[in-house]
Amino acid sequence: MRTVRRRDKSPGKQFWRKFEEEVERAVAGLGNARVQRDVRIPGALSGRLRQIDVLARGEVADCPMTVVFEAKCYGGIVQIGRVDELVGKALDVAAQSAILYSPKGFSTGARARAAGTQNSPLRVGVAKLEVDWLETEPAAEETVLIRYLPGQIQRSDNVMYDITQRLPDLGSYPADPVETDDYVRFFRGEAPLFVSR
């Protein structure tokens, strides 16, 4: 059983809007591009209007492109699913790059998923943008209730494992590429982006 509580857009809205403004300020200094906050543009694949927190079109960090910037002001770290959502949204609006911002940081899986796009036509980066005005915790975006079944255990990231079955040995993963906090290197495709400020 899974219960999801959607993001409340009323009292806690101040955190979301204010964090989007912080991201807009951070993005405005990246180059000679037109930067817009809270825009809706039609998706090329879906045919639906897509909401973008911050959109930059033009020359960004010395590279001509369209970049989608999403601000996730959650009470905890951002998980891998949010990176997947950003990939889908960026592909739908035909962006060349996308960057996900969070004041709390990212899970290891989220960082690896973003770094895995480095050799693809769409590059995704992650940036931790700490803000001093965040005195109280914003409400988590969703609450998940899970009913355990016999023989299952839970990892810390809400992934269920069946302990009655042995998983096959999948070998080791390739070494993670060295990340950079340099936007220009990221946009040129030289290294995955991870910024922590």
Side-chain angles (χ1 to χ4, degrees):
M1 175 179 143
R2 182 178 171 157
T3 303
V4 178
R5 184 188 65 199
R6 295 285 174 202
R7 169 172 39 154
D8 181 9
K9 298 197 180 242
S10 48
K13 184 177 176 181
Q14 65 189 7
F15 287 111
W16 299 88
R17 291 291 178 208
K18 197 165 183 181
F19 191 64
E20 284 178 9
E21 291 169 5
E22 294 285 343
V23 169
E24 181 183 24
R25 275 193 282 280
V27 169
L30 289 180
N32 188 17
R34 181 175 180 218
V35 177
Q36 299 170 286
R37 185 170 56 84
D38 193 20
V39 297
R40 285 167 178 63
I41 59 176
L45 303 173
S46 69
R48 304 280 188 228
L49 283 179
R50 304 298 300 260
Q51 189 275 337
I52 309 290
D53 291 342
V54 179
L55 181 70
R57 289 183 176 148
E59 191 174 295
V60 181
D62 300 329
C63 301
M65 64 177 62
T66 298
V67 183
V68 170
F69 299 90
E70 286 292 302
K72 300 298 180 191
C73 191
Y74 297 159
I77 62 174
V78 173
Q79 300 294 327
I80 191 171
R82 300 299 174 224
V83 177
D84 284 333
E85 286 178 9
L86 179 59
V87 169
K89 184 183 285 189
L91 287 172
D92 196 18
V93 299
Q96 289 80 29
S97 294
I99 299 176
L100 191 60
Y101 283 86
S102 166
K104 299 287 186 173
F106 301 86
S107 70
T108 304
R111 288 177 61 180
R113 174 66 176 103
T117 65
Q118 192 56 34
N119 293 324
S120 69
L122 169 70
R123 290 185 194 88
V124 177
V126 292
K128 181 179 178 184
L129 181 62
E130 294 180 0
V131 287
D132 56 5
W133 51 262
L134 195 60
E135 296 171 6
T136 58
E137 298 277 328
E141 182 196 32
E142 57 187 38
T143 303
V144 179
L145 303 174
I146 298 174
R147 184 175 296 158
Y148 297 100
L149 300 174
Q152 288 185 332
I153 58 173
Q154 180 185 21
R155 277 188 359 192
S156 61
D157 56 357
N158 288 335
V159 174
M160 302 298 246
Y161 285 103
D162 187 345
I163 59 175
T164 62
Q165 293 181 336
R166 180 172 166 77
L167 295 175
D169 182 15
L170 300 175
S172 62
Y173 289 102
D176 289 336
V178 178
E179 296 170 326
T180 182
D181 63 353
D182 182 356
Y183 287 93
V184 175
R185 288 189 63 214
F186 166 70
F187 288 127
R188 289 185 182 156
E190 296 171 7
L193 180 72
F194 176 68
V195 178
S196 182
R197 296 187 182 137

